[in-house]
Amino acid sequence: MSVAPTPAQIRAQVAAVLDKLPQARVVGIRAPLTVEVGESLHLDGRELPVARSDSVLDIRERLDALADGASPLVLLTTVDEAELGADLLARLARRRLFAIEPWQLVKDRFSARWVDPQLVARQPWVARALLDAEPPAGYPPAPGGFLQADLVWRILFDALLGLRADEQDAEAWIDWSLDPDRRRRTGALAPLVLAGLGEAVERGGGAAARTVFDCATGPRGGQTLAVGLVARVLFADAVQGESAVSKATGKLEALLGTGSGTGELAAKNALLWADAAESVAARRLARMPLSDMMSLLKEADDLLTQLGGAAFAHHSRFLPLGFRQRLEVFAAALSAAVAGKKKGVLEGLEAAMGQVLDHALADHEPARMEAVTMSTRLARWLVHRRTEEPAPASSFGSAAEGYRYEGGFLDWARARAWDGDPLPALGKAYSALWKAVSALREVENRRFGELLAGWTKTGSNIPSVIRVEHVLDRVATPLAAAHRLLLVVVDGMGIAVFRELQADLLRQGWVELDACDERRRLPVIAALPTVTEVSRTSLLCGALRVGNQNDEKTAFAAHVGLVSAGARSKPPLLFHKGELAGDGGGVSSDVLDAVADDKRRVVGAVINAVDDHLAKGDQIRMDWTVRRIKPLEDLLAAARDTGRALILVSDHGHVPEQGTKGGDGDAAERWREATGTPRDDEVLLSGHRVLLGQASGGGKAVIAPWSERSRYSAKKNGYHGGASPQEVVIPLGVFAAADVSVAGWREVATELPGWWTADEAPKAVSPKTPGTAPVATPTPKPRPPLKPGEQGQLFPLDGEAESGPVTGSAPPPTWIDRLLASDLLAEQRRSASRVALTDERLRAMLEALDERGGKITRAALATRIGIPSLRIGGAISALRRMLNVDGYAVLSVDEASDTVELNRAQLMKQFGLDR
């Protein structure tokens, strides 16, 4: 079948002739007169006249009329060459009429002598397409005079579809399909051309790429991404055999049509398509607004629903419907844990949480995912608490330490559960969890209130707590003697808020410190009632007092211990809220100058952000981060720049508004005069540490609720003044930037309860002798009793029995003992040189891994071996360098789960310990 030449082919033919015969006056070409080349042909900056003729006489007249020196004439005619006669042929270039020979023209345009024979034999349309796609400047010469197929396809894919040929994998075609302008190009391409391009795609990218290409360039091209995401669901191993899935798969193949390569869809191509679609979705989620991406993801939801497979959406990490289903599964698991009627509920809950957090949309809803994580932690605590049923605190000191150690974490997590969730099933589960945990917390609150009442009445003299009026003497003074100090008082900050701020500080590179000679991480107890004019004044004056800002500034500047730590000409300086604010919303330059002053040993600042928030009645969910508290962010930046150590402390805590009941007037928030008998949810507080109120027999006394559910004032965001541990136990932390060393103070690990990290059961905490750290003992797992003289292993290898009775008192060496004594480890230590771990640190890390079955989170490992989380990365790197012999992964880190894993079997083999 004769095919009419295109204008581009005619232009190419003329150019080829004139390149070789620049003096030619007439270029004759056999072509239909309907070819749309206009009245002139633009070539190399010249306008060549075009004549069309279907008679010999007309041709003769046109040639006779051709003036000397005129531009060459392009003659298009349907007359046979034999009809023209010798005289007319003699006036034409080459004495002939040229027939368009596309492949010859292509060779001319590329200055090529050969063309890939596969193209010539199998793809005749390619030559015409190349001529049509020629750029104005022409094609560069083919390398070596040989026009290869790869070069041809690269040109054609770019020209016809706007995609480079070296980007023709399945991902590239899915990306391409998301551009409507590119998809519209396929409308101008003949089926023969699309088929040829598809064959090229398959040769370069495989059958899966061809399948995706056929869909992308077909009538459902805009659904190419959606089909790939749906394929993950319909071809997941877990759903094979489901009748609904089989029907949905059949509908999908029918929807795509036989021309889409669906014959291979059910084999491997579907999952390869799914891999590519998820890769594209992940990249786009990372760089484009979520709202824009959600419309694409919901298309996949709609397609899966249309096919009848919506019930299985949870098998996708990208479908919004799948995210909802995973949250619903998590809600059911959480409800089961709260109900506590089944064994293994925590395992199911942990798995459901992992599925939720693994979904791609989880990263775009950090607040909801924090609630998921926090509620799982609460459920761990609840299940273990019900199992263990610990005895009530035996003393006020143990009750205060118990709240300091884990109560703040509990209340932080409870606040997230209280916030609820827009998904009804999950919101209901959170509510049930909050109520269950709060009921147990109320039991603790009652016991704390009773012990507080007794402690205050009998003199308040126990060494296992730090009274707020002694913070300057016991903590600030010795720290100021060793290093320049910034003391920040966040008014109203409870331990729950402190734990949130502490986590943020550690993320920003601060490390926590403790004195080398005496433990300062003890509970700090507020003065009573727990209000600012009492407890903050007592804190900053270093003595029990009721006062105001002027009293605090005067007493702070004159504090004997703080004054003696620095130059008398530069006494301690304290700034309050009004003095902190500078121009433009930042901290005042006077404050920053004081922090930067090397001779000013102690600078203090009072920040009211928490207390101000409590006084409001809005419905704003507050995340307590350093950036959220603007003065704190600026002060910490100044402290870091100048190398100051930091004390972060409060004057009292608070109970948040979480369904409280009570008065609605202007009375004190959570304390009242000691008149009448305390109600069941109240205690009478009296003694020298009670500074307000009037007792009937003289002295000071107040009545305050121990319950967090009571208030006396109008509804606000939170309240203080009462006798709950949330208000009475004050947070205190000592920090320094990671590159700052403070003489006499050591870096310490972050305190994290076992239920917080899921690495062990909750710890029972009991204070020991004054000035020593409470001992946190994990609940032991049941195991058979050891025989006399037997040395047990933490987790024996499969088939490896524990040692039997031995003669003498020395137990047999454990595998860790044998590792530390091995020659290969000594060689590895020499190789690691300066970064090698000490035997003590190495043993501690291996024992921590061993106790957890070879897997432990980085945070838990840091806590277990007693170093700040900021340092754990270096310790893990050093351990890997010592254990990973010849590149074998004895120790590895899963970044996604933040888990360190020890392959003990590989270790035994590499170090010869299995022999």
Side-chain angles (χ1 to χ4, degrees), residues 153-236:
W153 292 120
R154 186 159 59 246
I155 292 170
L156 291 183
F157 275 108
D158 187 21
L160 300 180
L161 295 176
L163 186 73
R164 290 173 48 179
D166 55 355
E167 296 176 350
Q168 288 179 24
D169 57 12
E171 282 188 43
W173 286 113
I174 293 173
D175 261 327
W176 179 90
S177 73
L178 296 176
D179 185 338
D181 291 335
R182 284 178 165 182
R183 290 204 313 272
R184 277 192 284 271
R185 295 189 181 197
T186 60
L189 300 181
L192 177 69
V193 174
L194 281 175
L197 292 172
E199 291 174 14
V201 169
E202 187 168 358
R203 285 193 298 273
R210 171 67 184 275
T211 303
V212 176
F213 168 84
D214 288 340
C215 181
T217 56
R220 294 190 175 272
Q223 289 186 298
T224 308
L225 174 65
V227 171
L229 296 178
V230 165
R232 173 65 70 209
V233 176
L234 299 183
F235 292 90

Side-chain angles (χ1 to χ4, degrees), residues 314-364:
H314 56 276
H315 291 288
S316 168
R317 291 186 59 249
F318 290 87
L319 296 187
L321 181 57
F323 189 44
R324 180 187 177 91
Q325 289 177 1
R326 292 187 184 197
L327 285 169
E328 288 172 341
V329 170
F330 175 77
L334 185 60
S335 297
V338 174
K341 296 179 180 179
K342 297 180 181 179
K343 292 184 178 180
V345 289
L346 285 183
E347 288 80 357
L349 180 62
E350 299 284 356
M353 178 188 70
Q355 285 293 300
V356 170
L357 298 180
D358 185 56
H359 200 281
L361 294 180
D363 290 340
H364 296 270

Side-chain angles (χ1 to χ4, degrees), residues 612-620 715-718:
D612 288 347
H613 171 69
L614 299 179
K616 299 175 182 178
D618 50 32
Q619 298 178 343
I620 296 177
K715 191 174 181 180
K716 302 177 181 178
N717 282 332

Side-chain angles (χ1 to χ4, degrees), residues 483 509-513 643-646 734-742:
H483 204 84
W510 292 82
V511 294
E512 195 166 0
L513 304 179
R644 283 186 183 268
L646 168 71
V734 180
F735 303 89
D739 57 349
V740 173
S741 177
V742 180

Side-chain angles (χ1 to χ4, degrees), residues 110-132:
F110 282 92
S111 301
R113 289 171 290 172
W114 302 280
V115 178
D116 191 318
Q118 292 293 325
L119 290 173
V120 176
R122 299 177 58 182
Q123 307 289 354
W125 62 270
V126 167
R128 297 178 182 275
L130 283 172
L131 295 173
D132 290 343

